[in-house]
Amino acid sequence: MAGFQQFDQDFYQSGFNIDEQGHEPYNCQTRSHPSENIDASAANPGVYASEQAYAEQAYTGQIFQPTDTSSYTGTDSSDAEPPLLEELGINFDHICQKTLTVLNPFKPVDGSIMNETDLTGPVVFCLALGATLLLAGKVHFSYVYGISVIGCFAMHALLNLMSMSEVSCGCVASVLGYCLLPMVTLSSCAVLFSLKGIIGTILALIIIGWCSLSASKIFISTLAMDGQQLLIAYPCALLYGVFALLTVF
């Protein structure tokens, strides 16, 4: 037991002696009361005012400053922005005009409208053609897209060779896609009855002539290719004839 006490004293040896430290009992009267500070500031008003002015000058930050609303006119910047459909290039008025022009081949064509690169209608008509073929039991989505792309590039190269003015590939795709609308009617008929017969053949020939006539008329009106409608209608008829073969057979 004595060895344990000796080890304990050796382990806790230090140079600190509590008797040497001056210990003063706590006296609550030694702490200053806030009222004393107030009395001190009242006793020395000049010193307190100078300290307060220095504190205000030292702080340069601004917590909150309300904006000046006197010049507010009541108009928001979002009001001046164009509509979303206009930013995406979707104009339903032009889509309806192009659709009516295709449905009526003898209607005068507005070249300014047809010269726009509008792919909303062509994409919708391609999807409609693939959907109606699917209802008829024919999964030809890849054929529709593939033939459309090849036909657009071929017609684009042909028109640039034949016309004096250059035409964009988007304009060619837009015209060929809108003129695909009568072919959608033929594929819808294929859902109701079979086109493998005399009636189906005659109906397919009428639709091919309708599509090629509309497309050629739009092209010659847009590109000012007077007297060349038959030359443009022939390759258009070949292109739409492939779609007719997919629809009939």
Side-chain angles (χ1 to χ4, degrees), residues 140-198:
H140 291 332
F141 282 99
S142 59
Y143 291 103
V144 171
Y145 295 143
I147 295 170
S148 300
V149 172
I150 295 173
C152 289
F153 282 113
M155 287 298 300
H156 175 256
L158 181 62
L159 290 174
N160 283 328
L161 292 174
M162 295 179 62
S163 63
M164 299 299 295
S165 58
E166 186 179 357
V167 61
S168 63
C169 187
C171 179
V172 175
S174 178
V175 173
L176 294 177
Y178 273 103
C179 293
L180 195 65
L181 179 58
M183 196 62 61
V184 178
T185 305
L186 180 64
S187 61
S188 300
C189 295
V191 178
L192 302 177
F193 56 90
S194 177
L195 299 176
K196 297 179 181 179
I198 302 297

Side-chain angles (χ1 to χ4, degrees), residues 1-13:
M1 187 67 180
F4 178 76
Q5 293 178 354
Q6 181 67 25
F7 176 76
D8 191 11
Q9 293 177 0
D10 294 339
F11 183 77
Y12 291 99
Q13 286 181 359

Side-chain angles (χ1 to χ4, degrees), residues 81-171:
E81 296 181 357
L84 179 60
L85 295 178
E86 186 177 348
E87 290 184 355
L88 296 176
I90 300 175
N91 193 334
F92 288 104
D93 188 16
H94 290 181
I95 292 174
C96 294
Q97 292 182 18
K98 293 178 182 179
T99 304
L100 294 176
T101 303
V102 172
L103 294 177
N104 187 8
F106 303 102
K107 180 182 178 180
V109 179
D110 189 359
S112 61
I113 296 178
M114 290 300 172
N115 201 18
E116 296 177 354
T117 305
D118 178 20
L119 298 179
T120 306
V123 171
V124 172
F125 295 154
C126 286
L127 291 175
L129 179 61
T132 51
L133 290 175
L134 183 63
L135 292 176
K138 303 172 184 178
V139 184
H140 291 332
F141 282 99
S142 59
Y143 291 103
V144 171
Y145 295 143
I147 295 170
S148 300
V149 172
I150 295 173
C152 289
F153 282 113
M155 287 298 300
H156 175 256
L158 181 62
L159 290 174
N160 283 328
L161 292 174
M162 295 179 62
S163 63
M164 299 299 295
S165 58
E166 186 179 357
V167 61
S168 63
C169 187
C171 179

Side-chain angles (χ1 to χ4, degrees), residues 194-204 248-249:
S194 177
L195 299 176
K196 297 179 181 179
I198 302 297
I199 299 177
T201 303
I202 295 174
L203 187 59
V248 173
F249 300 103

Side-chain angles (χ1 to χ4, degrees), residues 22-38:
H23 178 71
E24 296 180 358
Y26 177 78
N27 187 5
C28 62
Q29 296 179 357
T30 60
R31 296 178 60 87
S32 61
H33 195 270
S35 60
E36 296 180 0
N37 296 332
I38 297 175

